[in-house]
Amino acid sequence: MTSEFETARPVTVAACQLGPVHLADSREDVLKRMFSLLDQAAKEGVKLAVFPELAFTTFFPRYLLEGEDLDQYFETEDPTKGGIEQSPTIKPLFDHARSLGIDVYAGYAERSLQKDGVHVDYNSSVYYSSQEDKVIAKYRKVHLPGTVEPRTESGAYQQLEKRYFRPGNIGFPAFRAPGLVEGALKKSDGIENLDTTGKGDPIVGMLICNDRRWPEAWRVYGLQGMEIMCCGYNTTAFPTTSSGHMVEMSLEAAEEQVMLHHKLSCQGNSYMNACFSINVAKTGAEDGNPLVGGTMIVHPLGYIIKEANTKEDELVVATIDLADCRRPKNTVFAFEKHRRPEHYNLILEQTGVVEPELL
Amino acid sequence: MTSEFETARPVTVAACQLGPVHLADSREDVLKRMFSLLDQAAKEGVKLAVFPELAFTTFFPRYLLEGEDLDQYFETEDPTKGGIEQSPTIKPLFDHARSLGIDVYAGYAERSLQKDGVHVDYNSSVYYSSQEDKVIAKYRKVHLPGTVEPRTESGAYQQLEKRYFRPGNIGFPAFRAPGLVEGALKKSDGIENLDTTGKGDPIVGMLICNDRRWPEAWRVYGLQGMEIMCCGYNTTAFPTTSSGHMVEMSLEAAEEQVMLHHKLSCQGNSYMNACFSINVAKTGAEDGNPLVGGTMIVHPLGYIIKEANTKEDELVVATIDLADCRRPKNTVFAFEKHRRPEHYNLILEQTGVVEPELL
């Protein structure tokens, strides 16, 4: 369905859900599974394939690790020797994607070498362009959940992202993905006095897992005209207390609650920013630790276009028309007409809560 | 259900949905209906009753009006002579509420007299405290939808809020409502070195209709520790194009879409700010113009506690425990631990969209 007065800009995209990756699974095993999803995607005409957060390994921040036990999960990047494209454990995925003409979003643990020999670690994702044969954008997760110090109470679940990663330092830069849609206007077309809004190569944003619960992140992308949000995640299938214990409720009710929060976040923020979103789970039980599924492609009008049925490797494909972003971006969410930033100061001025004084 | 380690702070609240108010309905007729809802609420132990946006009249911004035809919808306030409490058409509602010991949120059209004799008009709401016997907080709608100039195409629907009202100029000030919960800590308790967070009188925020789609508004309140959001609305039951025509779809599908957007906004933003919300419709067909229902009380965990079944005057009552805000405010949404305002600059720096350059 093309929006009123807009030229269709269709593109076929895939959410590449992964089932569990266990501690014992090798990198080669996981790559094989990813290849298989890409092969299937190619047969369905997919141009963009989105994989989960930390796609290549188990979700290791649930374990307290150090030394080599921890190091094995990271891709070391030496900026003087090229980026993640050179990683021997990830490069094969990009090579395979290029051979199929598919762009890839994938999450991984980034170890960034600094000039002084030390390293800084991030929970990152990259966007690989098959047309350019390179990574054209990187994102480093800003909203890290969990704790720095392990929870000490007996039976507590660990979520050590704040220990292993530094918060992302590059913000939320939207970017254009070349080659995804036909007939995109180019700078070289020399069109100077025409409104090119919504007519160029697709504008893409990236988030990772917990970021999707933070409307600030979506809005910063929304203010750059984002049309497609890519977001991979590993989300524990039950809510935990501040001491790291599962909230007392049935496993079924717990998963239902987590799924509600996932859907409100992805559908609500896609709606409020008039963008498509491709939300992709690593799911199933990794060595007994249950993760929710809920992989889904969401329309700018907030509804689910297509979602996964399983907790295994599963391809969810949809042909989306980016022109569908235009009506909501031009009416209800015409930011330039309706936003009032003069009243939003607290969003930048405060990090935490300041309650009104007691009466 | 009381949250872990928290003292229960229960309060019984009511969403006072109103069916249609037609052009021919008198102010007295409407007040009688509101009295009836308050009487019913009192019997159920309600301490806070929330009425819709522009509760006392039909939703007049759907008509092109001027002079007395327009003026009749406004409450004129002369700041030198006292506030809205003195309005002869609204005062009876507050008097009745005081006699029942109920606080009231209500929306109305505010005509504010200025020193120089001119007036400025707002789409406003007030919070009347029965304990204080006065209006303790006012809100002026910030996100006005619609257009300044009437749409001229044949068959176009009008939404002239931008013509009749000025955007609110007092931002999003949260406030405490005294007397709603038992045992609230008071300043006079002289507790200086104790963490009083979540222990005082309830922290309340107010929004009006279209504001609920704007996460910035919720977040500014969230950063003040808001526990209860009150939001009245009049929402057309079908989406319109930028020229003001109904989007081509069945009336049933249209209403389903509008309801989805309503729910994603209210449930999503309540969840992401860990607050209760009381969302109240004027609904049914006002002189043939259909408004959605969807009046509902939402939990800080994003689910609907209770919702309306009709499109008529209907009371939706729930006893909520403000302690339920504490777990999400202290874990997933512990703002001070997780927010990164250094990456949110665009939210204040830009009003509208700036797309990345064409490739």
Side-chain angles (χ1 to χ4, degrees):
Chain A
M1 182 183 71
T2 303
S3 303
E4 44 169 350
F5 315 122
E6 296 297 337
T7 309
R9 295 162 70 215
V11 53
T12 302
V13 300
C16 300
Q17 176 173 287
L18 290 175
V21 176
H22 303 297
L23 285 164
D25 293 341
S26 72
R27 294 286 194 119
E28 290 68 30
D29 290 340
V30 179
L31 270 180
K32 262 186 214 159
R33 291 161 56 184
M34 296 170 98
F35 278 31
S36 164
L37 287 167
L38 281 181
D39 290 340
Q40 204 182 321
K43 285 184 194 142
E44 303 199 33
V46 166
K47 303 293 282 178
L48 166 59
V50 179
F51 287 95
E53 173 191 37
L54 299 173
F56 303 88
T57 68
T58 198
F59 184 73
F60 65 88
R62 73 168 68 91
Y63 304 109
L64 180 59
L65 303 165
E66 56 182 354
E68 285 178 14
D69 292 340
L70 178 62
D71 296 345
Q72 63 176 318
Y73 294 109
F74 284 86
E75 309 299 320
T76 300
E77 293 183 40
D78 181 345
T80 64
K81 294 181 183 162
I84 185 70
E85 292 96 325
Q86 302 312 318
S87 160
T89 44
I90 289 187
K91 188 174 185 302
L93 181 70
F94 297 152
D95 290 344
H96 197 68
R98 189 184 62 246
S99 76
L100 301 169
I102 296 177
D103 288 10
V104 168
Y105 160 111
Y108 68 108
E110 175 189 1
R111 173 151 292 177
S112 175
L113 293 184
Q114 309 293 294
K115 280 181 191 165
D116 49 8
V118 301
H119 60 81
V120 182
D121 298 341
Y122 300 100
N123 186 343
S124 299
S125 65
V126 285
Y127 187 100
Y128 171 83
S129 164
S130 61
Q131 178 178 296
E132 304 292 311
D133 187 22
K134 66 177 181 191
V135 166
I136 59 169
K138 179 185 278 188
Y139 172 70
R140 290 167 170 165
K141 185 174 182 176
V142 165
H143 300 97
L144 297 172
T147 56
V148 175
E149 295 307 321
R151 291 153 174 159
T152 53
E153 287 188 40
S154 158
Y157 286 87
Q158 302 297 348
Q159 217 299 11
L160 291 164
E161 285 190 56
K162 275 190 158 56
R163 182 182 190 87
Y164 297 141
F165 303 116
R166 194 173 291 188
N169 62 347
I170 47 180
F172 308 102
F175 60 93
R176 291 190 186 269
L180 280 193
V181 299
E182 303 276 328
L185 278 185
K186 299 285 180 182
K187 202 189 285 182
S188 57
D189 292 332
I191 300 158
E192 301 244 328
N193 298 314
L194 196 76
D195 178 11
T196 60
T197 309
K199 299 188 179 73
D201 287 297
I203 303 173
V204 180
M206 295 194 278
L207 290 177
I208 299 176
C209 197
N210 183 47
D211 285 317
R212 72 196 188 284
R213 306 178 201 281
W214 297 85
E216 294 92 337
W218 292 77
R219 185 59 104 223
V220 171
Y221 281 121
L223 284 162
Q224 298 168 78
M226 171 192 47
E227 298 168 309
I228 305 174
M229 176 69 90
C230 303
C231 182
Y233 59 93
N234 289 259
T235 296
T236 301
F238 49 83
T240 49
T241 66
S242 51
S243 58
H245 294 88
M246 183 181 154
V247 173
E248 273 185 54
M249 59 201 309
S250 73
L251 270 173
E252 199 177 48
E255 184 151 356
E256 194 181 314
Q257 185 177 109
V258 172
M259 277 300 295
L260 173 66
H261 296 168
H262 164 60
K263 289 189 170 184
L264 289 176
S265 301
C266 298
Q267 294 181 252
N269 285 307
S270 296
Y271 164 63
M272 293 189 288
N273 291 281
C275 66
F276 289 93
S277 65
I278 307 169
N279 308 280
V280 188
K282 184 137 60 64
T283 180
E286 291 190 331
D287 297 296
N289 301 282
L291 299 170
V292 290
T295 291
M296 57 185 187
I297 302 173
V298 177
H299 191 272
L301 294 177
Y303 62 83
I304 298 171
I305 300 170
K306 212 157 174 197
E307 60 192 315
N309 304 312
T310 73
K311 290 191 179 176
E312 300 296 332
D313 294 2
E314 181 180 349
L315 195 74
V316 177
V317 175
T319 299
I320 61 179
D321 183 352
L322 301 185
D324 288 351
C325 299
R326 302 327 304 173
R327 178 167 65 83
K329 281 189 195 292
N330 291 336
T331 57
V332 182
F333 295 113
F335 290 168
E336 76 284 3
K337 288 183 190 153
H338 305 310
R339 292 183 77 247
R340 310 297 305 188
E342 66 270 32
H343 297 304
Y344 305 156
N345 290 332
L346 282 195
I347 293 171
L348 262 69
E349 284 173 7
Q350 281 179 210
T351 300
V353 169
V354 180
E355 292 192 342
E357 279 195 3
L358 293 180
L359 295 178
Chain B
M1 182 181 73
T2 302
S3 302
E4 44 168 350
F5 315 122
E6 296 297 336
T7 309
R9 295 163 71 215
V11 53
T12 301
V13 301
C16 300
Q17 175 173 289
L18 290 175
V21 176
H22 303 298
L23 285 165
D25 294 340
S26 72
R27 294 284 194 119
E28 290 69 31
D29 290 340
V30 179
L31 270 180
K32 262 187 215 159
R33 289 162 58 184
M34 297 170 96
F35 277 29
S36 164
L37 287 166
L38 281 181
D39 291 339
Q40 203 181 323
K43 285 185 194 142
E44 302 200 34
V46 166
K47 304 293 283 179
L48 166 59
V50 179
F51 287 95
E53 173 192 36
L54 298 173
F56 302 87
T57 68
T58 198
F59 185 73
F60 65 88
R62 72 167 68 91
Y63 304 108
L64 181 59
L65 302 165
E66 57 183 354
E68 284 178 15
D69 291 341
L70 178 63
D71 295 345
Q72 63 176 317
Y73 294 109
F74 284 86
E75 308 300 321
T76 299
E77 292 183 41
D78 181 346
T80 64
K81 294 182 184 161
I84 185 70
E85 293 96 325
Q86 302 313 316
S87 161
T89 44
I90 289 187
K91 188 174 186 301
L93 182 71
F94 297 153
D95 289 344
H96 197 69
R98 188 185 60 247
S99 76
L100 300 169
I102 297 177
D103 288 10
V104 169
Y105 161 111
Y108 69 107
E110 176 190 359
R111 173 152 292 177
S112 175
L113 293 184
Q114 310 292 295
K115 280 180 190 164
D116 48 9
V118 300
H119 60 81
V120 181
D121 298 341
Y122 300 99
N123 186 342
S124 299
S125 64
V126 285
Y127 187 100
Y128 170 82
S129 163
S130 61
Q131 178 178 298
E132 304 292 311
D133 188 21
K134 66 178 182 189
V135 166
I136 59 169
K138 179 185 276 187
Y139 172 70
R140 290 166 170 165
K141 186 173 182 177
V142 166
H143 300 97
L144 297 172
T147 57
V148 174
E149 295 306 321
R151 291 153 174 159
T152 53
E153 288 188 38
S154 157
Y157 285 87
Q158 301 297 347
Q159 217 299 11
L160 291 164
E161 285 191 55
K162 276 190 157 57
R163 181 182 190 86
Y164 297 141
F165 303 117
R166 193 173 290 187
N169 62 346
I170 48 181
F172 307 103
F175 60 93
R176 291 191 187 268
L180 280 193
V181 299
E182 303 276 327
L185 278 185
K186 300 284 180 183
K187 201 189 285 183
S188 57
D189 291 332
I191 299 157
E192 300 244 330
N193 298 314
L194 197 76
D195 179 10
T196 59
T197 308
K199 299 189 179 71
D201 288 296
I203 303 172
V204 179
M206 295 195 278
L207 291 177
I208 299 176
C209 195
N210 184 47
D211 285 317
R212 72 197 188 284
R213 307 177 201 280
W214 296 86
E216 295 92 337
W218 291 77
R219 185 59 104 223
V220 172
Y221 280 121
L223 284 162
Q224 299 169 79
M226 171 192 48
E227 298 169 309
I228 306 174
M229 176 69 91
C230 303
C231 182
Y233 58 94
N234 289 259
T235 296
T236 301
F238 49 81
T240 49
T241 66
S242 51
S243 58
H245 294 87
M246 183 182 154
V247 173
E248 272 187 53
M249 58 200 311
S250 73
L251 269 174
E252 199 177 47
E255 184 151 355
E256 194 182 314
Q257 186 178 110
V258 171
M259 276 301 295
L260 173 67
H261 297 168
H262 165 59
K263 289 188 170 183
L264 289 176
S265 301
C266 298
Q267 295 181 252
N269 285 306
S270 296
Y271 164 64
M272 292 189 290
N273 292 282
C275 66
F276 290 92
S277 65
I278 307 170
N279 309 280
V280 187
K282 185 136 60 64
T283 180
E286 292 192 329
D287 296 297
N289 300 283
L291 299 170
V292 289
T295 290
M296 57 186 186
I297 301 173
V298 177
H299 190 272
L301 293 177
Y303 62 83
I304 298 171
I305 301 171
K306 212 155 175 199
E307 59 191 316
N309 304 312
T310 72
K311 291 192 178 176
E312 300 296 332
D313 293 3
E314 181 180 348
L315 195 74
V316 177
V317 175
T319 299
I320 61 179
D321 184 352
L322 302 185
D324 288 352
C325 299
R326 302 328 303 174
R327 178 167 66 83
K329 281 189 195 293
N330 291 336
T331 56
V332 183
F333 295 113
F335 290 167
E336 76 284 3
K337 289 182 190 154
H338 304 311
R339 292 183 77 246
R340 310 298 303 188
E342 66 269 31
H343 298 303
Y344 306 156
N345 290 334
L346 282 196
I347 293 171
L348 262 69
E349 284 173 7
Q350 283 180 208
T351 300
V353 169
V354 180
E355 292 192 342
E357 279 195 3
L358 293 180
L359 295 178

